[in-house]
Amino acid sequence: MRRAGLAALIALLTFGNARAENFPSHPITIVVPFSAGGPSDAMARILAERMKMTLGEAVLIENVTGAGGSIGVGRAVRAAPDGYTVSFGHLGTHVANGAIYKLGYDLVADLEPVALLPSNPMIIVSKNAVPAKSLQELISWLKARPAPATAGTAGAGSGSHIAGLYFENITGIKLQYVPYRGTAPAMNDLVAGQIDLIVDQISNSIGQVRAGNIRAYAVTADKRVESAQDVPTTDEAGLPGFHMTLWSGLWVPKGTPKDVVAKLNAAAVDALNDAVVRKQLENLGLQMPPANQLSPEALGAWQKAEIAKWWPMIKAANVKVD
Ligand code: ASP
């Protein structure tokens, strides 16, 4: 009995190690918790394409959308902790949602950080039919309206929603949020004139701004963004201090072997250091994480610091979700 128990234990440990050593031996899936064609999806697809070169296996994207990304993150949390299911997320999904939803999982205790990914300042954009031509004019137009303007978001707790709350907070304006499963469908409706504005990730808006399909007012950063040089910063446009950067990251379920996490981290870091990938990301207005912030531990520490910073403001905003 004892010998059988010991043999089973040895077999289990050997099998566990063998699995980690051979990782990956089949395709990996990155769960993107927002719509295809949106900013999270675009970044994940660019990185996945390069990560497969380091990993030697396909890296697939699965879009599991809804409830501000909390459904997709839940899917990854409940997956086997073997490195084959990776959770892509950002300040909204892996920080803000913990203060908004009854998640049924813990964003820190149930996930293992893998790597910090590029970040994106936000850009205030409207449909072309809005008469304002500058941020000050937009604010006056919003204040003068009898009913709140409509602002598209990727759901409660998403980047576009947190940025909208911040915008309301700093201006005293009230917005009526229209939630989508990602800012890709929200952008379609903005271009079509169905909603008034989005406080969006630059990577999602930049193409439509360049094409003249929507109007940009300001980026929420202290410096102009390389890929949108003619759009003023919020400091320049009259809302000093309205700075927000939406960072992204990768996680795996808690209990994933350390060397599997290290392999996934190495693949992400190789992708971020690849000149072609960097160019693609920079063209979308994305900014690289600092070189000394690329370890799993750095993402873990950063996520905790962001929870401490954002939860009080989000809880004070008393966001209601159905
Ligand atoms: N990142 C989301 C998306 O890809 C948008 C958001 O968080 O606002 O649609």
Side-chain angles (χ1 to χ4, degrees):
M1 242 342 242
R2 272 180 68 184
R3 278 176 71 154
L6 193 64
L9 183 67
I10 290 169
L12 191 75
L13 291 174
T14 319
F15 180 61
N17 277 341
R19 274 208 323 200
E21 256 168 45
N22 297 337
F23 177 85
S25 59
H26 59 267
I28 292 163
T29 298
I30 299 181
V31 180
V32 170
F34 296 106
S35 316
S40 295
D41 183 70
M43 193 199 302
R45 281 176 201 272
I46 292 170
L47 293 172
E49 212 30 51
R50 178 60 180 80
M51 283 173 74
K52 78 175 184 203
M53 285 170 67
T54 303
L55 293 164
E57 282 290 341
V59 180
L60 312 170
I61 303 294
E62 189 183 354
N63 301 91
V64 181
T65 65
S70 61
I71 294 173
V73 177
R75 163 81 71 88
V77 166
R78 284 183 294 274
D82 55 11
Y84 289 98
T85 307
V86 179
S87 172
F88 180 101
H90 63 22
L91 168 64
T93 55
H94 287 70
V95 172
N97 281 354
I100 295 178
Y101 295 89
K102 289 198 174 65
L103 289 177
Y105 54 82
D106 187 300
L107 287 167
V108 173
D110 295 335
L111 288 162
E112 214 57 85
V114 174
L116 183 62
L117 299 178
S119 57
N120 219 196
M122 309 301 282
I123 186 164
I124 305 168
V125 289
S126 79
K127 63 180 178 185
N128 278 341
V130 168
K133 296 284 181 294
S134 66
L135 184 61
Q136 291 298 351
E137 286 178 24
L138 177 71
I139 292 169
S140 307
W141 179 78
L142 288 167
K143 284 189 170 160
R145 290 170 54 92
T150 48
T153 73
S158 61
S160 40
H161 182 226
I162 308 167
L165 292 174
Y166 198 166
F167 184 51
E168 284 184 301
N169 202 280
I170 208 159
T171 56
I173 289 161
K174 273 271 137 246
L175 296 171
Q176 187 195 323
Y177 294 105
V178 183
Y180 295 81
R181 287 177 174 261
T183 43
M187 180 54 67
N188 290 342
D189 273 7
L190 188 71
V191 171
Q194 303 290 333
I195 51 172
D196 296 317
L197 54 103
I198 309 180
V199 190
D200 196 12
Q201 283 164 262
I202 289 193
S203 56
N204 195 48
S205 281
I206 190 74
Q208 300 292 359
V209 171
R210 284 190 193 131
N213 295 334
I214 55 173
R215 187 172 307 122
Y217 298 92
V219 292
T220 62
D222 55 2
K223 285 199 281 310
R224 288 199 183 201
V225 171
E226 190 64 31
S227 60
Q229 273 297 327
D230 47 350
V231 183
T233 66
T234 35
D235 294 344
E236 293 170 324
L239 275 186
F242 179 23
H243 298 160
M244 179 179 159
T245 300
L246 197 79
W247 52 269
S248 293
L250 295 177
W251 288 259
V252 284
K254 197 68 162 191
T256 303
K258 283 263 168 294
D259 47 356
V260 168
V261 173
K263 285 183 181 179
L264 290 167
N265 173 274
V269 172
D270 281 356
L272 294 174
N273 286 333
D274 184 292
V276 176
V277 169
R278 288 179 91 94
K279 189 89 215 127
Q280 281 175 292
L281 296 173
E282 280 161 9
N283 279 343
L284 289 172
L286 287 157
Q287 294 159 352
M288 295 298 143
N292 62 358
Q293 292 293 304
L294 293 176
S295 66
E297 295 71 29
L299 172 57
W302 176 244
Q303 184 189 10
K304 284 186 193 140
E306 287 284 272
I307 285 174
K309 174 178 162 189
W310 286 95
W311 277 18
M313 182 187 131
I314 293 165
K315 287 186 174 161
N318 200 17
V319 179
K320 293 268 180 293
V321 287
D322 299 328

